[in-house]
Amino acid sequence: MQHASIYVPRNAGNRCFRTIVCGTDFRARYFPSESDKLTGMEYPLSKKLERIFECAQNPVPYGIERSLLHAYVACLTFEELCEAICSTLEADAPVRLALRGRLLRLLRLSDGELAERISLLADKAQSLAEGNHVVRTRVDALLSAVYSWLPLPHRHAVLEHWIDRGTRGAASRWLKAMASDEPLFDAKAIFEYWLESRSTRAAKILAYQAEPAFLDRNLAELAAGCAEGWIISKAALRATSIPDDILHLLRDKHPASYAYLCAMTGRKLTDEEALALISDAPSSILDDERGLVIWSMGQMGLISALDRLGANRETYAAQGVAAILRSRQETPEAD
């Protein structure tokens, strides 16, 4: 027999490992036949839901009601659990989250054998969301949670459903799901979305996950339209080559990212060039930009430049304070 460890509640606020038997015993526990019902299975779903709702009225953290809530939810078969999820989409959060949490535990335990059943749940939940914004948002959250367990055709349909909706929330779910789905990852679609939205998240996904050849073709446009230098430098590092115009753009717009890119690619800077980057890097309370330039100088072994910086630290600190004050004066106060 195969065994798997899952979390089961022992008492309020604590969890322990308990070993249960998979395979046929798993099916018997969550999909019992009419002739082989376990203790408690004779209670109809309505009676189980009554108990669940009663415990969810005042789910005090670490209280017995919370433990009872999850214990009653654990008494549901998988079919009952799916039906309960669909029938409680307008219920309060404690009920919905307890049911969804149980669903995810069973999916993690199932080793993929619940794909067909979870597809039916997704289809039914989506059909209930038509014309109801609140329910639609909750169904989207459910689909996001179970996305990785859906069969590939269903995952593709969910992605299309989200991106076709045209809302920021749906697009965010689309990006998150696609970024984690290697078979359906589409850099071109993400790039087209970025061209329209200038989404930082989309640009980051491209920089970290797009193929180097794709970045070669689109690096110039990404660099010109992205406001985050660290994303541009990451994309440049993953491309097969870095054109000179990208380096010039980074030097002008993102001096700290330019210093980082030089350090990571072995490009040498003179002491004067490095110190000029310190002066040009934006100042902030945390001084992250200047800190990155200093780190890059260390990677390049510019000891004499670091000595000069240390000897004039009060001057650079004063420049930083002045820059911060100037930026505050230039920022209009909210009415």
Side-chain angles (χ1 to χ4, degrees), residues 125-169:
Q126 284 182 283
S127 69
L128 296 172
E130 298 298 330
N132 189 321
H133 174 72
V134 173
V135 172
R136 185 177 65 190
T137 301
R138 294 174 179 180
V139 169
D140 282 344
L142 173 65
L143 293 176
S144 293
V146 304
Y147 177 85
S148 60
W149 285 280
L150 292 170
L152 190 144
H154 262 78
R155 299 203 307 273
H156 182 266
V158 169
L159 290 175
E160 293 295 312
H161 173 73
W162 278 332
I163 196 60
D164 288 344
R165 190 182 301 166
T167 64
R168 182 177 299 179

Side-chain angles (χ1 to χ4, degrees), residues 29-30 69-77 102:
R29 170 63 182 88
Y30 300 111
L69 168 63
H70 291 281
Y72 281 129
V73 169
C75 292
L76 300 174
T77 66
R102 178 62 174 173

Side-chain angles (χ1 to χ4, degrees), residues 246-321:
I246 300 298
L247 291 172
H248 294 322
L249 183 147
L250 277 173
R251 173 60 185 90
D252 294 338
K253 295 176 59 176
H254 308 285
S257 295
Y258 172 77
Y260 172 79
L261 193 59
C262 289
M264 296 302 292
T265 57
R267 297 171 182 269
K268 294 296 183 179
L269 297 176
T270 65
D271 289 1
E272 287 68 24
E273 289 173 332
L275 293 173
L277 291 175
I278 287 285
S279 299
D280 294 343
S283 298
S284 64
I285 295 177
L286 297 178
D287 221 7
D288 292 337
E289 297 280 332
R290 288 187 167 187
L292 180 57
V293 176
I294 295 171
W295 178 90
S296 301
M297 291 166 64
Q299 305 307 305
M300 290 183 278
L302 300 177
I303 295 178
S304 60
L306 293 172
D307 289 342
R308 290 169 58 181
L309 176 62
N312 294 279
R313 68 186 67 176
E314 293 182 359
T315 300
Y316 284 109
Q319 291 175 353
V321 172

Side-chain angles (χ1 to χ4, degrees), residues 27-28 38 97 105 164 205 235 243 257 263:
R27 290 183 174 277
L38 301 183
L97 294 180
R105 293 188 188 96
D164 288 344
I205 291 171
S257 295

Side-chain angles (χ1 to χ4, degrees), residues 55-108:
C55 293
Q57 289 180 0
N58 297 294
V60 180
Y62 311 114
I64 191 172
E65 291 85 358
R66 181 177 181 275
S67 296
L68 283 172
L69 168 63
H70 291 281
Y72 281 129
V73 169
C75 292
L76 300 174
T77 66
F78 191 81
E79 283 79 5
E80 288 177 330
L81 181 60
C82 292
E83 185 177 345
I85 288 172
C86 289
S87 64
T88 58
L89 288 172
E90 297 187 73
D92 292 336
V95 171
R96 291 184 288 105
L97 294 180
L99 293 171
R100 190 197 307 169
R102 178 62 174 173
L103 175 67
L104 296 179
R105 293 188 188 96
L106 295 184
L107 289 174
R108 286 192 288 267

